[in-house]
Amino acid sequence: MSELNVTITESAQEYLKELLAKQDCEGIAIRMFVSNPGTPNAETCIAYCRPGEEEAEDVMLEMNGLKAYFEGRSVPYLDEARVDYSSDKMGGQLTIRAPNSRMPKITDDSPIEDRINYVLYNEVNPGLAAHGGQVSLVEVTEDMFAVLKFGGGCQGCGMVDMTLKEGVEKTLKEKIPELAGVKDITDHTDKSQAYY
């Protein structure tokens, strides 16, 4: 389990405590997590967390009477995250900066999904982008196959099987030796977006 490294500034703590006080719920806390972690669509979220809504793998932190839960799965993506509040004439603004939400620091101990996403977004997709395509991970099967979905210009492209086997699978297996291979769930009979 990686170490939690999130800064919630004093002004943000005060602001969040005020918000929680207005909820009229004994023991209410905040919960921070990243949706779609490790992808370009990652979003860092702060939500209310009523007693019992926290999950077993959450990391709990208490700061000056503010109780905060951090989703266990999101911790690597929240590394170096900073929550700040600055007041202005309009009332103020809470800002969340999470520089590692889209791409966490990957180690050999990272979950296999994170390592696959890292390779896809850093090495595979930049090459496919030239053809208006991209590939994303759907799931990793029990027998260690990565199920991938091709989109954009890759969908409906007749070369996709070769790209999959020669390019994507080779790259992924080089970087992630325990992977058995890749499978494609995309329907390539739909040629509406195809790039020729």
Side-chain angles (χ1 to χ4, degrees):
M1 180 75 188
S2 43
E3 194 91 358
L4 181 67
N5 176 16
V6 176
T7 304
I8 299 180
T9 64
E10 278 183 38
S11 59
Q13 289 176 37
E14 289 306 317
Y15 174 72
L16 290 166
K17 277 198 292 197
E18 282 173 31
L19 283 183
L20 291 177
K22 291 175 187 161
Q23 297 310 302
D24 198 25
C25 173
E26 188 66 39
I28 192 167
I30 62 161
R31 187 164 186 267
M32 197 168 171
F33 59 94
V34 179
S35 65
N36 297 311
T39 75
N41 306 327
E43 275 190 61
T44 307
C45 310
I46 294 180
Y48 293 122
C49 185
R50 290 172 174 75
E53 289 180 343
E54 66 278 356
E55 299 194 5
E57 71 274 5
D58 284 358
V59 178
M60 199 273 282
L61 208 64
E62 213 155 334
M63 302 159 269
N64 306 325
L66 172 70
K67 192 186 258 188
Y69 290 95
F70 300 88
E71 183 191 45
R73 167 93 174 89
S74 295
V75 166
Y77 299 95
L78 291 170
D79 190 42
E80 297 173 13
R82 181 180 171 85
V83 181
D84 194 14
Y85 179 79
S86 55
S87 51
D88 58 32
K89 291 192 288 290
M90 307 304 279
Q93 191 175 357
L94 189 71
T95 54
I96 307 169
R97 288 199 172 73
N100 295 299
S101 62
R102 290 183 169 88
M103 208 38 69
K105 295 182 172 78
I106 296 291
T107 67
D108 291 342
D109 302 332
S110 297
I112 190 164
E113 291 86 352
D114 290 0
R115 288 181 289 145
I116 290 169
N117 274 328
Y118 187 83
V119 174
L120 290 179
Y121 285 104
N122 281 297
E123 299 187 27
V124 175
N125 277 338
L128 295 177
H131 301 280
Q134 87 271 346
V135 62
S136 55
L137 176 68
V138 177
E139 63 172 338
V140 178
T141 62
E142 279 178 34
D143 53 358
M144 297 306 277
F145 276 88
V147 180
L148 304 176
K149 180 174 172 56
F150 284 84
C154 293
Q155 195 170 343
C157 167
M159 295 300 285
V160 85
D161 290 340
M162 207 176 115
T163 303
L164 186 70
K165 287 285 175 222
E166 286 303 304
V168 181
E169 184 171 71
K170 202 168 153 195
T171 304
L172 282 172
K173 285 176 78 175
E174 250 167 48
K175 306 278 180 200
I176 306 162
E178 66 267 39
L179 202 60
V182 295
K183 291 180 179 168
D184 174 20
I185 66 154
T186 311
D187 176 7
H188 293 288
T189 56
D190 172 7
K191 297 189 172 14
S192 62
Q193 296 290 316
Y195 174 92
Y196 294 101

